[in-house]
Protein backbone atom coordinates (compact mmCIF):
# COMPACT_ATOMS: atom_id res chain seq x y z
CA UNK A 1 0.00 0.00 0.00
CA UNK A 2 1.32 3.42 -0.98
CA UNK A 3 1.00 5.80 1.95
CA UNK A 4 -0.55 9.25 1.70
CA UNK A 5 1.71 12.28 1.92
CA UNK A 6 2.13 14.16 5.18
CA UNK A 7 2.23 17.96 5.27
CA UNK A 8 5.44 19.59 6.41
CA UNK A 9 6.61 23.17 6.09
CA UNK A 10 9.62 23.88 3.90
CA UNK A 11 11.83 24.34 6.96
CA UNK A 12 10.56 21.11 8.55
CA UNK A 13 11.23 19.18 5.36
CA UNK A 14 14.78 20.52 5.23
CA UNK A 15 15.64 19.44 8.78
CA UNK A 16 14.08 16.00 8.24
CA UNK A 17 16.08 15.56 5.02
CA UNK A 18 19.24 16.68 6.82
CA UNK A 19 18.60 14.17 9.61
CA UNK A 20 18.12 11.31 7.11
CA UNK A 21 21.39 12.23 5.39
CA UNK A 22 23.09 12.48 8.79
CA UNK A 23 21.96 8.96 9.65
CA UNK A 24 23.32 7.64 6.37
CA UNK A 25 26.67 9.33 6.86
CA UNK A 26 26.84 8.28 10.51
CA UNK A 27 26.24 4.62 9.67
CA UNK A 28 29.03 4.78 7.07
CA UNK A 29 31.48 6.68 9.30
CA UNK A 30 30.95 4.46 12.34
CA UNK A 31 30.60 1.24 10.37
CA UNK A 32 33.45 -0.56 12.16
CA UNK A 33 32.56 0.79 15.60
CA UNK A 34 28.96 -0.43 15.35
CA UNK A 35 29.55 -3.33 12.97
CA UNK A 36 26.69 -5.81 12.99
CA UNK A 37 27.87 -9.41 13.22
CA UNK A 38 24.51 -10.86 12.24
CA UNK A 39 23.42 -10.69 8.59
CA UNK A 40 19.76 -10.70 9.71
CA UNK A 41 17.04 -8.19 8.91
CA UNK A 42 15.87 -6.82 12.23
CA UNK A 43 19.20 -6.25 14.00
CA UNK A 44 21.75 -7.18 11.35
CA UNK A 45 23.40 -5.95 8.20
CA UNK A 46 20.42 -6.81 5.94
CA UNK A 47 18.40 -4.14 7.74
CA UNK A 48 21.14 -1.62 7.02
CA UNK A 49 21.19 -2.63 3.35
CA UNK A 50 17.43 -2.05 3.22
CA UNK A 51 17.85 1.47 4.62
CA UNK A 52 20.67 2.37 2.22
CA UNK A 53 18.64 1.03 -0.71
CA UNK A 54 15.74 3.37 0.10
CA UNK A 55 18.14 6.22 0.82
CA UNK A 56 19.67 5.76 -2.64
CA UNK A 57 16.24 5.44 -4.27
CA UNK A 58 15.28 8.74 -2.66
CA UNK A 59 18.31 10.91 -3.39
CA UNK A 60 20.34 9.01 -5.99
CA UNK A 61 23.68 9.42 -4.22
CA UNK A 62 25.98 6.68 -5.54
CA UNK A 63 27.74 6.33 -2.19
CA UNK A 64 24.58 4.77 -0.75
CA UNK A 65 24.21 2.28 -3.59
CA UNK A 66 27.84 1.32 -3.01
CA UNK A 67 26.89 0.59 0.60
CA UNK A 68 24.06 -1.65 -0.55
CA UNK A 69 26.42 -3.58 -2.83
CA UNK A 70 29.07 -3.96 -0.10
CA UNK A 71 26.57 -5.07 2.51
CA UNK A 72 24.92 -7.59 0.18
CA UNK A 73 28.31 -9.05 -0.80
CA UNK A 74 29.11 -9.53 2.89
CA UNK A 75 25.66 -11.02 3.56
CA UNK A 76 26.09 -13.55 0.74
CA UNK A 77 29.37 -14.77 2.26
CA UNK A 78 27.68 -15.32 5.63
CA UNK A 79 24.52 -17.07 4.43
CA UNK A 80 25.92 -20.57 4.83
CA UNK A 81 26.40 -19.92 8.56
CA UNK A 82 22.84 -18.71 9.17
CA UNK A 83 21.11 -21.33 11.30
CA UNK A 84 17.71 -19.67 11.77
CA UNK A 85 14.89 -19.31 9.27
CA UNK A 86 13.22 -16.47 11.20
CA UNK A 87 12.27 -13.01 9.99
CA UNK A 88 14.38 -11.44 12.70
CA UNK A 89 17.80 -13.01 12.29
CA UNK A 90 17.36 -15.75 9.72
CA UNK A 91 16.76 -16.62 6.11
CA UNK A 92 13.16 -15.36 5.91
CA UNK A 93 14.12 -11.81 6.83
CA UNK A 94 17.24 -11.80 4.66
CA UNK A 95 15.29 -13.15 1.69
CA UNK A 96 12.37 -10.78 2.22
CA UNK A 97 14.66 -7.74 2.30
CA UNK A 98 16.73 -8.78 -0.72
CA UNK A 99 13.54 -9.37 -2.69
CA UNK A 100 12.22 -5.97 -1.62
CA UNK A 101 15.47 -4.22 -2.53
CA UNK A 102 15.41 -5.98 -5.89
CA UNK A 103 11.90 -4.62 -6.51
CA UNK A 104 13.30 -1.08 -6.32
CA UNK A 105 15.15 -1.70 -9.58
CA UNK A 106 18.54 -0.54 -8.33
CA UNK A 107 20.60 -3.75 -8.28
CA UNK A 108 22.97 -4.75 -11.05
CA UNK A 109 23.58 -8.22 -9.61
CA UNK A 110 21.10 -11.04 -10.22
CA UNK A 111 19.66 -12.15 -6.87
CA UNK A 112 17.05 -14.52 -8.32
CA UNK A 113 19.23 -17.66 -8.02
CA UNK A 114 19.55 -17.03 -4.28
CA UNK A 115 15.85 -16.27 -3.87
CA UNK A 116 14.94 -19.38 -5.86
CA UNK A 117 16.96 -21.46 -3.38
CA UNK A 118 15.08 -19.88 -0.48
CA UNK A 119 11.81 -20.58 -2.28
CA UNK A 120 12.69 -24.27 -2.04
CA UNK A 121 13.86 -24.25 1.58
CA UNK A 122 11.53 -21.98 3.55
CA UNK A 123 8.05 -23.39 2.84
CA UNK A 124 8.70 -26.75 4.50
CA UNK A 125 10.21 -25.09 7.58
CA UNK A 126 7.24 -22.73 7.75
CA UNK A 127 4.66 -25.52 7.55
CA UNK A 128 6.51 -27.65 10.09
CA UNK A 129 6.46 -24.79 12.59
CA UNK A 130 2.83 -23.73 12.10
CA UNK A 131 1.69 -27.34 12.57
CA UNK A 132 3.17 -27.02 16.07
CA UNK A 133 1.32 -23.74 16.57
CA UNK A 134 4.44 -21.58 16.35
CA UNK A 135 3.15 -18.60 14.38
CA UNK A 136 5.31 -15.78 15.84
CA UNK A 137 6.20 -13.08 13.26
CA UNK A 138 9.69 -12.43 14.57
CA UNK A 139 10.86 -15.93 15.50
CA UNK A 140 8.32 -18.32 14.00
CA UNK A 141 6.46 -19.31 10.87
CA UNK A 142 4.69 -16.05 10.09
CA UNK A 143 7.95 -14.44 9.00
CA UNK A 144 8.51 -17.17 6.41
CA UNK A 145 4.88 -16.87 5.29
CA UNK A 146 5.49 -13.17 4.74
CA UNK A 147 8.51 -14.03 2.59
CA UNK A 148 6.48 -16.53 0.55
CA UNK A 149 3.76 -13.92 0.07
CA UNK A 150 6.32 -11.46 -1.26
CA UNK A 151 7.43 -14.12 -3.75
CA UNK A 152 3.86 -14.93 -4.75
CA UNK A 153 3.87 -17.60 -7.46
CA UNK A 154 1.67 -20.55 -8.38
CA UNK A 155 3.84 -22.83 -6.26
CA UNK A 156 3.84 -20.47 -3.29
CA UNK A 157 0.08 -20.00 -3.69
CA UNK A 158 -0.47 -23.66 -2.83
CA UNK A 159 1.94 -23.52 0.10
CA UNK A 160 0.29 -20.38 1.47
CA UNK A 161 -3.15 -21.96 1.08
CA UNK A 162 -1.97 -24.85 3.24
CA UNK A 163 -0.46 -22.40 5.73
CA UNK A 164 -3.77 -20.56 6.12
CA UNK A 165 -5.60 -23.85 6.66
CA UNK A 166 -3.04 -24.68 9.35
CA UNK A 167 -3.69 -21.30 10.97
CA UNK A 168 -7.34 -22.26 11.20
CA UNK A 169 -6.53 -25.65 12.71
CA UNK A 170 -4.18 -24.32 15.42
CA UNK A 171 -6.60 -21.60 16.57
CA UNK A 172 -9.36 -21.63 19.16
CA UNK A 173 -12.89 -20.68 18.07
CA UNK A 174 -15.31 -19.68 20.81
CA UNK A 175 -18.75 -18.32 19.96
CA UNK A 176 -17.63 -16.67 16.72
CA UNK A 177 -14.41 -15.30 18.23
CA UNK A 178 -11.14 -16.81 16.99
CA UNK A 179 -7.84 -16.56 18.85
CA UNK A 180 -4.33 -17.99 18.71
CA UNK A 181 -2.38 -18.97 21.82
CA UNK A 182 1.30 -18.20 22.30
CA UNK A 183 3.34 -21.26 21.34
CA UNK A 184 4.65 -23.23 24.30
CA UNK A 185 6.29 -26.64 24.55
CA UNK A 186 4.75 -27.04 28.01
CA UNK A 187 1.29 -28.52 27.48
CA UNK A 188 0.44 -28.09 31.17
CA UNK A 189 1.00 -24.33 31.11
CA UNK A 190 -2.01 -22.03 31.04
CA UNK A 191 -2.48 -20.56 27.57
CA UNK A 192 -1.33 -17.00 26.97
CA UNK A 193 -2.80 -14.87 24.20
CA UNK A 194 -0.50 -12.17 22.88
CA UNK A 195 -2.48 -9.32 21.34
CA UNK A 196 0.37 -7.32 19.80
CA UNK A 197 1.43 -6.72 16.22
CA UNK A 198 4.96 -7.97 16.88
CA UNK A 199 4.20 -11.41 18.33
CA UNK A 200 0.46 -11.81 18.64
CA UNK A 201 -3.05 -12.12 17.31
CA UNK A 202 -2.97 -8.79 15.50
CA UNK A 203 -0.02 -10.00 13.41
CA UNK A 204 -2.09 -12.97 12.22
CA UNK A 205 -4.99 -10.67 11.38
CA UNK A 206 -2.69 -8.45 9.32
CA UNK A 207 -1.22 -11.43 7.47
CA UNK A 208 -4.70 -12.76 6.66
CA UNK A 209 -5.62 -9.36 5.21
CA UNK A 210 -2.53 -9.43 2.99
CA UNK A 211 -3.26 -13.01 1.91
CA UNK A 212 -6.86 -12.09 1.08
CA UNK A 213 -5.66 -9.13 -1.00
CA UNK A 214 -3.46 -11.58 -2.94
CA UNK A 215 -6.42 -13.88 -3.62
CA UNK A 216 -5.10 -16.72 -1.47
CA UNK A 217 -7.97 -18.73 0.04
CA UNK A 218 -10.13 -15.57 -0.02
CA UNK A 219 -13.28 -17.15 1.45
CA UNK A 220 -11.43 -18.78 4.33
CA UNK A 221 -9.31 -15.68 4.90
CA UNK A 222 -12.39 -13.48 5.09
CA UNK A 223 -14.00 -15.83 7.59
CA UNK A 224 -10.86 -15.89 9.77
CA UNK A 225 -10.51 -12.12 9.50
CA UNK A 226 -14.06 -11.59 10.74
CA UNK A 227 -13.65 -14.05 13.61
CA UNK A 228 -10.29 -12.53 14.61
CA UNK A 229 -11.86 -9.07 14.58
CA UNK A 230 -14.68 -10.38 16.77
CA UNK A 231 -12.15 -11.64 19.30
CA UNK A 232 -10.04 -8.48 19.44
CA UNK A 233 -13.06 -6.20 19.65
CA UNK A 234 -14.51 -8.29 22.50
CA UNK A 235 -11.44 -7.49 24.62
CA UNK A 236 -11.74 -3.69 24.55
CA UNK A 237 -11.40 -2.15 28.00
CA UNK A 238 -12.07 1.36 29.31
CA UNK A 239 -8.89 3.46 29.30
CA UNK A 240 -7.60 4.76 32.64
CA UNK A 241 -4.35 6.70 32.96
CA UNK A 242 -0.63 6.25 32.34
CA UNK A 243 0.22 2.78 30.99
CA UNK A 244 -3.43 1.84 31.60
CA UNK A 245 -4.66 4.53 29.20
CA UNK A 246 -5.31 1.85 26.63
CA UNK A 247 -8.10 -0.26 25.12
CA UNK A 248 -6.12 -3.52 24.91
CA UNK A 249 -3.60 -5.14 27.26
CA UNK A 250 -0.48 -6.67 25.75
CA UNK A 251 -1.02 -10.28 26.82
CA UNK A 252 -3.93 -12.08 28.50
CA UNK A 253 -4.77 -15.58 29.70
CA UNK A 254 -7.99 -17.58 29.82
CA UNK A 255 -8.48 -16.42 33.40
CA UNK A 256 -7.05 -12.89 33.37
CA UNK A 257 -7.75 -10.29 30.69
CA UNK A 258 -6.47 -7.31 32.68
CA UNK A 259 -3.19 -5.60 31.98
CA UNK A 260 -1.52 -2.63 30.37
CA UNK A 261 0.17 -1.82 27.08
CA UNK A 262 2.54 0.80 25.78
CA UNK A 263 2.08 3.12 22.80
CA UNK A 264 4.13 1.52 20.04
CA UNK A 265 4.24 -0.59 16.89
CA UNK A 266 5.01 -3.77 18.82
CA UNK A 267 2.19 -3.61 21.37
CA UNK A 268 -0.85 -1.55 22.18
CA UNK A 269 -3.67 0.45 20.70
CA UNK A 270 -1.75 2.07 17.84
CA UNK A 271 -0.70 -1.16 16.13
CA UNK A 272 -3.92 -3.00 16.98
CA UNK A 273 -6.04 -0.06 15.87
CA UNK A 274 -4.49 0.45 12.45
CA UNK A 275 -4.78 -3.26 11.54
CA UNK A 276 -8.40 -3.36 12.72
CA UNK A 277 -9.03 -0.25 10.62
CA UNK A 278 -7.62 -2.10 7.61
CA UNK A 279 -9.88 -5.05 8.41
CA UNK A 280 -12.91 -2.74 8.64
CA UNK A 281 -12.14 -1.38 5.16
CA UNK A 282 -11.79 -4.91 3.76
CA UNK A 283 -15.01 -6.11 5.42
CA UNK A 284 -16.83 -2.90 4.40
CA UNK A 285 -18.02 -2.64 8.00
CA UNK A 286 -18.79 1.02 8.66
CA UNK A 287 -19.73 0.40 12.29
CA UNK A 288 -16.40 -1.27 12.98
CA UNK A 289 -14.57 1.47 11.08
CA UNK A 290 -16.21 4.21 13.16
CA UNK A 291 -15.37 2.42 16.42
CA UNK A 292 -11.74 1.84 15.47
CA UNK A 293 -11.31 5.43 14.28
CA UNK A 294 -12.68 6.54 17.66
CA UNK A 295 -10.08 4.38 19.42
CA UNK A 296 -7.27 5.69 17.20
CA UNK A 297 -8.38 9.26 17.85
CA UNK A 298 -8.10 8.57 21.57
CA UNK A 299 -4.69 7.00 20.94
CA UNK A 300 -3.57 10.05 18.98
CA UNK A 301 -4.14 12.17 22.10
CA UNK A 302 -1.64 10.09 24.07
CA UNK A 303 1.38 12.32 23.67
CA UNK A 304 3.23 12.15 26.98
CA UNK A 305 6.53 10.33 26.44
CA UNK A 306 6.99 8.90 29.94
CA UNK A 307 3.36 7.88 30.48
CA UNK A 308 3.41 5.93 27.22
CA UNK A 309 6.87 4.44 27.81
CA UNK A 310 8.39 6.15 24.79
CA UNK A 311 12.12 6.55 25.44
CA UNK A 312 13.61 6.65 21.95
CA UNK A 313 12.88 6.97 18.22
CA UNK A 314 13.10 3.36 16.97
CA UNK A 315 10.53 1.60 14.78
CA UNK A 316 9.67 -1.05 17.35
CA UNK A 317 8.68 1.10 20.32
CA UNK A 318 9.71 4.66 19.54
CA UNK A 319 8.49 7.82 17.84
CA UNK A 320 9.21 6.80 14.23
CA UNK A 321 7.18 3.61 14.58
CA UNK A 322 4.23 5.80 15.55
CA UNK A 323 4.84 8.06 12.55
CA UNK A 324 4.40 5.12 10.20
CA UNK A 325 1.34 3.75 12.00
CA UNK A 326 -0.54 7.05 11.92
CA UNK A 327 0.58 7.72 8.34
CA UNK A 328 -1.06 4.41 7.41
CA UNK A 329 -4.16 5.24 9.49
CA UNK A 330 -4.40 8.54 7.61
CA UNK A 331 -4.02 6.67 4.30
CA UNK A 332 -6.81 4.23 5.18
CA UNK A 333 -9.29 6.75 6.59
CA UNK A 334 -8.34 10.24 5.40
CA UNK A 335 -8.84 11.44 8.99
CA UNK A 336 -6.95 14.75 9.37
CA UNK A 337 -6.21 14.05 13.05
CA UNK A 338 -4.11 11.05 12.05
CA UNK A 339 -2.01 13.15 9.68
CA UNK A 340 -1.53 15.66 12.48
CA UNK A 341 -0.47 12.85 14.83
CA UNK A 342 2.04 11.45 12.31
CA UNK A 343 3.43 14.97 11.94
CA UNK A 344 3.60 15.36 15.74
CA UNK A 345 5.63 12.18 16.22
CA UNK A 346 7.91 13.07 13.32
CA UNK A 347 8.89 16.31 14.98
CA UNK A 348 8.99 14.68 18.43
CA UNK A 349 11.77 12.47 17.05
CA UNK A 350 14.13 15.41 17.33
CA UNK A 351 13.31 15.65 21.05
CA UNK A 352 14.69 12.16 21.73
CA UNK A 353 17.82 12.82 19.66
CA UNK A 354 19.73 13.55 22.87
CA UNK A 355 22.90 11.46 22.63
CA UNK A 356 24.96 13.80 20.49
CA UNK A 357 28.37 12.55 21.62
CA UNK A 358 27.85 8.80 21.94
CA UNK A 359 24.87 7.93 19.74
CA UNK A 360 24.46 7.38 16.01
CA UNK A 361 23.28 10.77 14.71
CA UNK A 362 22.37 11.48 18.32
CA UNK A 363 20.17 8.40 18.77
CA UNK A 364 20.33 5.57 21.25
CA UNK A 365 17.73 2.91 21.96
CA UNK A 366 16.40 2.19 25.44
CA UNK A 367 16.64 -1.45 26.51
CA UNK A 368 15.17 -2.81 29.74
CA UNK A 369 15.43 -6.56 30.38
CA UNK A 370 14.05 -6.38 33.88
CA UNK A 371 17.52 -6.50 35.41
CA UNK A 372 19.33 -3.65 33.72
CA UNK A 373 17.97 -0.62 31.89
CA UNK A 374 20.23 1.39 29.61
CA UNK A 375 20.50 3.39 26.39
CA UNK A 376 22.53 1.65 23.69
CA UNK A 377 23.71 2.94 20.32
CA UNK A 378 22.63 0.39 17.72
CA UNK A 379 22.67 0.49 13.93
CA UNK A 380 19.89 -2.04 13.32
CA UNK A 381 16.53 -1.86 11.54
CA UNK A 382 13.83 -2.73 14.08
CA UNK A 383 15.39 -1.16 17.16
CA UNK A 384 18.17 0.97 15.72
CA UNK A 385 19.16 3.98 13.70
CA UNK A 386 18.74 2.39 10.26
CA UNK A 387 15.04 1.93 11.04
CA UNK A 388 14.71 5.53 12.17
CA UNK A 389 16.16 6.65 8.86
CA UNK A 390 13.94 4.50 6.65
CA UNK A 391 10.84 5.50 8.59
CA UNK A 392 11.62 9.19 8.11
CA UNK A 393 12.14 8.64 4.37
CA UNK A 394 8.56 7.36 4.11
CA UNK A 395 7.29 10.32 6.13
CA UNK A 396 8.48 12.71 3.41
CA UNK A 397 8.39 10.38 0.37
CA UNK A 398 5.24 8.24 0.87
CA UNK A 399 5.66 6.25 -2.34
CA UNK A 400 8.75 4.67 -0.74
CA UNK A 401 6.76 2.67 1.78
CA UNK A 402 6.80 -0.98 0.66
CA UNK A 403 9.43 -1.86 3.31
CA UNK A 404 6.60 -1.45 5.83
CA UNK A 405 5.27 -4.86 4.76
CA UNK A 406 8.06 -6.40 6.84
CA UNK A 407 6.31 -4.90 9.89
CA UNK A 408 2.88 -5.99 8.59
CA UNK A 409 1.89 -2.38 7.89
Amino acid sequence: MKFKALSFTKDETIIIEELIESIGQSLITHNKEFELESPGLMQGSTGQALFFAYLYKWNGNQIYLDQVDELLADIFTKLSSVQSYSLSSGLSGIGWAINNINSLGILEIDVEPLLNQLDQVLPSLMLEDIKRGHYDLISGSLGAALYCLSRHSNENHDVLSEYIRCLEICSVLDNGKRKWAVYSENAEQESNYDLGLCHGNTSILSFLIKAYNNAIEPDLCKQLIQESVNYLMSLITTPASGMQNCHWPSIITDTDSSGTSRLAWCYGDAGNGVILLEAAVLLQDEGLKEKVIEILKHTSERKHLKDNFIRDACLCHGTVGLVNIFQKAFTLSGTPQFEETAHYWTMKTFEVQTHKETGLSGFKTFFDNGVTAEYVATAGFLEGTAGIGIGLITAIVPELSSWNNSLLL
Side-chain angles (χ1 to χ4, degrees):
M1 174 186 293
K2 176 185 172 183
F3 285 9
K4 280 188 177 180
L6 303 176
S7 297
F8 296 101
T9 66
K10 182 178 180 180
D11 288 343
E12 287 172 341
T13 301
I14 290 172
I15 64 170
I16 295 167
E17 290 176 345
E18 289 175 346
L19 176 55
I20 296 168
E21 286 273 12
S22 168
I23 290 171
Q25 292 298 321
S26 183
L27 288 174
I28 294 172
T29 301
H30 299 287
N31 178 47
K32 296 300 181 183
E33 183 181 353
F34 295 98
E35 187 172 8
L36 299 169
E37 294 182 5
S38 166
L41 170 60
M42 295 304 182
Q43 296 298 342
S45 51
T46 298
Q48 278 198 5
L50 191 65
F51 163 62
F52 280 118
Y54 277 81
L55 184 52
Y56 171 74
K57 188 69 175 179
W58 167 52
N59 71 8
N61 190 330
Q62 181 64 36
I63 190 174
Y64 300 130
L65 183 57
D66 292 342
Q67 286 296 305
V68 176
D69 292 338
E70 289 178 20
L71 286 164
L72 288 182
D74 182 60
I75 290 162
F76 293 158
T77 65
K78 294 178 178 177
L79 274 180
S80 61
S81 65
V82 176
Q83 301 297 314
S84 167
Y85 89 107
S86 72
L87 187 72
S88 175
S89 60
L91 296 175
S92 297
I94 294 170
W96 186 93
I98 291 173
N99 188 54
N100 187 258
I101 292 170
N102 196 41
S103 73
L104 297 176
I106 63 173
L107 297 179
E108 293 185 359
I109 59 172
D110 182 8
V111 296
E112 280 300 317
L114 168 63
L115 296 174
N116 288 335
Q117 290 181 41
L118 295 180
D119 291 345
Q120 300 303 312
V121 171
L122 292 176
S124 60
L125 297 172
M126 171 187 79
L127 292 174
E128 179 182 343
D129 238 6
I130 193 57
K131 288 174 182 177
R132 296 187 297 132
H134 191 199
Y135 65 81
D136 193 285
L137 170 68
I138 300 299
S139 63
S141 62
L142 203 58
L146 199 60
Y147 168 80
C148 290
L149 193 61
S150 75
R151 296 280 294 167
H152 191 189
S153 64
N154 289 334
E155 186 174 342
N156 277 345
H157 189 288
D158 293 339
V159 169
L160 288 166
S161 292
E162 184 177 354
Y163 183 80
I164 291 165
R165 291 192 293 271
C166 288
L167 277 176
E168 179 186 21
I169 292 168
C170 72
S171 65
V172 177
L173 180 63
D174 180 14
N175 197 27
K177 299 187 286 286
R178 191 175 295 274
K179 59 186 178 182
W180 286 266
V182 175
Y183 171 71
S184 173
E185 294 182 357
N186 183 2
E188 303 300 320
Q189 180 179 321
E190 181 181 21
S191 293
N192 293 318
Y193 299 92
D194 189 306
L195 306 183
L197 187 50
C198 188
H199 302 287
N201 278 254
T202 308
S203 65
I204 296 176
L205 175 59
S206 179
F207 175 77
L208 289 169
I209 291 169
K210 293 183 184 301
Y212 176 88
N213 288 335
N214 281 275
I216 299 170
E217 295 291 331
D219 292 339
L220 178 56
C221 277
K222 193 169 186 180
Q223 174 195 326
L224 298 178
I225 288 166
Q226 182 65 71
E227 292 164 345
S228 176
V229 167
N230 293 345
Y231 173 64
L232 290 168
M233 295 302 290
S234 74
L235 298 173
I236 291 175
T237 59
T238 302
S241 60
M243 287 286 284
Q244 294 183 325
N245 188 15
C246 58
H247 292 81
W248 289 281
S250 297
I251 300 175
I252 65 172
T253 68
D254 283 324
T255 57
D256 185 5
S257 59
S258 63
T260 63
S261 65
R262 66 197 306 166
L263 183 63
W265 166 79
C266 54
Y267 283 105
D269 291 6
N272 290 6
V274 75
I275 301 306
L276 283 163
L277 178 58
E278 191 169 16
V281 172
L282 183 152
L283 296 169
Q284 298 181 319
D285 187 334
E286 288 301 316
L288 174 63
K289 184 177 179 180
E290 289 176 10
K291 178 62 177 176
V292 174
I293 287 176
E294 178 185 335
I295 290 171
L296 284 169
K297 283 183 175 180
H298 174 271
T299 305
S300 71
E301 295 297 329
R302 295 171 61 186
K303 294 180 176 177
H304 192 280
L305 293 176
K306 184 177 180 181
D307 283 353
N308 293 298
F309 206 66
I310 299 170
R311 306 288 186 87
D312 54 52
C314 76
L315 288 175
C316 182
H317 49 257
T319 57
V320 175
L322 294 172
V323 173
N324 282 243
I325 284 174
F326 281 101
Q327 190 173 9
K328 176 161 184 171
F330 173 56
T331 301
L332 288 166
S333 68
T335 305
Q337 187 172 340
F338 300 156
E339 180 192 8
E340 294 164 6
T341 305
H343 178 278
Y344 173 85
W345 288 113
T346 303
M347 304 317 296
K348 206 71 173 176
T349 298
F350 292 91
E351 191 173 313
V352 295
Q353 188 190 16
T354 57
H355 307 276
K356 301 294 185 181
E357 300 299 322
T358 56
L360 283 164
S361 289
F363 293 108
K364 284 188 174 183
T365 301
F366 184 75
F367 292 99
D368 184 354
N369 62 11
V371 179
T372 59
E374 60 181 339
Y375 282 94
V376 178
T378 175
F381 171 70
L382 183 61
E383 296 179 307
T385 308
I388 297 170
I390 202 170
L392 291 174
I393 289 173
T394 299
I396 59 171
V397 191
E399 57 268 27
L400 295 179
S401 59
S402 68
W403 64 268
N404 264 294
N405 282 310
S406 66
L407 302 183
L408 291 173
L409 292 178

